[in-house]
């Protein structure tokens, strides 16, 4: 079952209290693919400029990621610069240079159109709709968005949400999208607009999933060394959708398990800069951390 992601492929320059990177491999579609590919083969659609190092793309290819949907265009690649606060809980975007990403028109190669699992990365909701028009009959559509689209393209975002099964956004985006300060009230409102489930990422406080009749929460893995939170949300999404594509099931139990796999992938991602941790991650390491999560939250049978 094909797993398709559409989103940014970037050169990131990031400063954290522990170091910095310049023009490192980044972008939502990249973090998603690198995390997802450990669990299920991933197909990427995105755009890079002629300055994008071939060595960066080779890192994805080495993970088995299918890059047939990555267009190389004349011009500069998308560049993003950010600085994190001392506790890594907030970041300031210093610069966003869209380059060729500004004119991005996703073209899904024929061989990707049968994809059964689709992740719409954080792009213009009109383009997200356009991607869905090109995919034949997906079994699951998951989607991300950000404050920019909530503020500028609210109407088309609502149209996209009607076709989305699972929306994966952070707590601030949840509140802003719904125009509600209470997170759960906000979540309830968003669910009434179409998605069958809403997964709310809460950084170091973990994740909450809301569905029509049930909720599920998971803490973040208690890491003592966090170096670079960039891409935590996208690697969560990669682990989450990657697990579902791998098991091919959408039961409540599978979705709960996918949340733990997502949390595991995000926890590994932040241990090193850029994609340095995910690149070499092995499946046994993932299984080990999955078991630790089980211990961390286990209270069944306790009186
Ligand atoms: P996250 O930390 O999960 O929010 O993801 C950060 C990644 O998103 C970085 O690798 C950036 O290159 C990418 N990114 C930042 N701003 C945008 C944007 N406006 N559109 C698409 N991707 C972005």
């Amino acid at each position: 079952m094909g797993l398709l992601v559409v989103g940014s492929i970037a050169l990131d320059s990031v400063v954290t209290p522990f170091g910095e990177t310049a023009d490192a491999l980044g972008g939502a579609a990249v973090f998603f693919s690198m995390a997802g590919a450990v669990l299920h083969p991933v197909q990427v659609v995105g755009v890079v400029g002629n300055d994008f190092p071939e060595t960066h793309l080779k890192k994805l290819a080495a993970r088995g990621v299918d890059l047939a949907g990555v267009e190389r265009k004349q011009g500069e690649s998308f560049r993003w610069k950010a600085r994190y606060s001392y506790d890594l809980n907030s970041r300031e975007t210093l610069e966003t240079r869209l380059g060729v990403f500004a004119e991005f028109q996703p073209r899904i190669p024929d061989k990707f159109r049968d994809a059964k699992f689709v992740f719409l990365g954080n792009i213009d909701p009109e383009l997200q709709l356009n991607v869905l028009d090109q995919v034949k009959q997906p079994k699951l559509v998951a989607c991300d968005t950000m404050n920019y689209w909530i503020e500028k393209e609210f109407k088309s975002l609502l149209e996209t949400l009607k076709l989305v099964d699972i929306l994966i956004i952070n707590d601030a985006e949840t509140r802003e999208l719904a125009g509600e300060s209470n997170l759960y009230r906000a979540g309830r409102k968003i669910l009434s607009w179409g998605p069958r489930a809403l997964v709310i990422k809460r950084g170091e406080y973990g994740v909450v999933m809301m569905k029509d009749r049930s909720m599920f929460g998971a803490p973040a893995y208690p890491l003592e060394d966090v170096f670079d939170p960039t891409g935590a949300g996208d690697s969560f999404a990669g682990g989450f959708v990657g697990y579902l594509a791998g098991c091919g099931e959408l039961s409540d139990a599978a979705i709960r398990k996918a949340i733990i796999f997502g949390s595991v992938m995000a926890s590994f991602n932040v241990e090193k800069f850029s994609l340095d941790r995910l690149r070499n991650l092995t499946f046994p390491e993932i299984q080990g951390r999955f078991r630790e999560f089980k211990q961390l939250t286990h209270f069944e049978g306790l009186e």
Side-chain angles (χ1 to χ4, degrees), residues 13 48 73 211 219 236:
S13 299
V48 296
K73 282 208 155 166
K211 283 170 70 179
F236 171 88

Side-chain angles (χ1 to χ4, degrees), residues 7-13 23-31 47-48 52-53 56-57 60 77-81 97 101 274-275:
S8 60
I9 302 177
L11 296 174
D12 285 351
S13 299
D23 279 353
L25 175 60
V30 171
F31 284 103
V47 65
V48 296
F52 201 84
H56 279 351
L57 293 178
L60 287 166
S77 298
F78 174 62
R79 279 185 171 73
W80 178 75
K81 274 190 192 172
R97 262 160 55 199
F101 193 51
S274 181
L275 277 304

Side-chain angles (χ1 to χ4, degrees), residues 87-114:
D87 65 3
L88 300 173
N89 273 332
S90 59
R91 74 179 174 211
E92 185 191 355
T93 295
L94 303 175
E95 193 180 7
T96 302
R97 262 160 55 199
L98 292 175
V100 293
F101 193 51
E103 305 298 320
F104 180 43
Q105 289 295 331
R107 261 208 308 270
I108 315 299
D110 282 347
K111 65 169 180 168
F112 291 180
R113 290 181 188 222
D114 289 322

Side-chain angles (χ1 to χ4, degrees), residues 51-282:
D51 56 353
F52 201 84
E54 198 55 41
T55 48
H56 279 351
L57 293 178
K58 281 198 177 130
K59 292 173 193 164
L60 287 166
R63 267 293 190 202
V65 175
D66 191 333
L67 301 170
V70 177
E71 254 184 283
R72 197 181 268 279
K73 282 208 155 166
Q74 274 303 316
E76 271 198 6
S77 298
F78 174 62
R79 279 185 171 73
W80 178 75
K81 274 190 192 172
R83 182 170 42 220
Y84 285 86
S85 62
Y86 175 70
D87 65 3
L88 300 173
N89 273 332
S90 59
R91 74 179 174 211
E92 185 191 355
T93 295
L94 303 175
E95 193 180 7
T96 302
R97 262 160 55 199
L98 292 175
V100 293
F101 193 51
E103 305 298 320
F104 180 43
Q105 289 295 331
R107 261 208 308 270
I108 315 299
D110 282 347
K111 65 169 180 168
F112 291 180
R113 290 181 188 222
D114 289 322
K116 290 288 169 232
F117 290 78
V118 178
F119 181 68
L120 303 170
N122 162 32
I123 53 174
D124 185 335
E126 294 270 4
L127 296 184
Q128 292 177 324
L129 279 174
N130 180 268
V131 168
L132 294 181
D133 276 346
Q134 297 178 60
V135 181
K136 286 182 189 152
Q137 220 178 10
K139 184 170 165 153
L140 178 100
V141 176
C143 172
D144 184 15
T145 192
M146 70 185 291
N147 57 348
Y148 182 85
W149 303 119
I150 296 171
E151 288 152 27
K152 300 269 188 315
E153 294 291 341
F154 186 72
K155 273 202 178 143
S156 21
L157 184 55
L158 287 187
E159 290 306 307
T160 303
L161 290 184
K162 288 182 190 162
L163 303 176
V164 162
D165 299 297
I166 305 186
L167 179 65
I168 307 175
I169 51 179
N170 69 30
D171 39 6
E173 289 154 356
T174 303
R175 292 188 169 96
E176 185 173 0
L177 178 57
E180 279 281 353
S181 69
N182 180 280
L183 192 65
Y184 306 105
R185 212 187 274 273
R188 210 43 76 207
K189 191 163 167 185
I190 293 169
L191 286 176
S192 76
W193 294 338
R196 282 194 282 145
L198 169 66
V199 176
I200 307 171
K201 300 169 287 183
R202 308 183 66 205
E204 68 169 324
Y205 307 110
V207 180
V208 177
M209 185 216 22
M210 296 181 70
K211 283 170 70 179
D212 194 19
R213 282 173 217 283
S214 65
M215 274 176 95
F216 178 67
Y221 183 76
L223 276 179
E224 295 194 11
D225 292 307
V226 177
F227 282 96
D228 177 10
T230 307
D234 304 307
S235 46
F236 171 88
F240 177 81
V241 188
Y243 172 75
L244 291 175
C247 80
E249 238 194 79
L250 295 175
S251 64
D252 194 54
I255 292 177
R256 287 170 187 234
K257 211 166 159 186
I259 285 180
I260 306 301
F261 272 98
S263 307
V264 165
M265 301 311 289
S267 75
F268 278 119
N269 177 57
V270 302
E271 285 181 349
K272 288 194 178 168
F273 279 95
S274 181
L275 277 304
D276 290 351
R277 186 66 180 98
L278 292 186
R279 271 178 68 196
N280 302 309
L281 191 61
T282 62

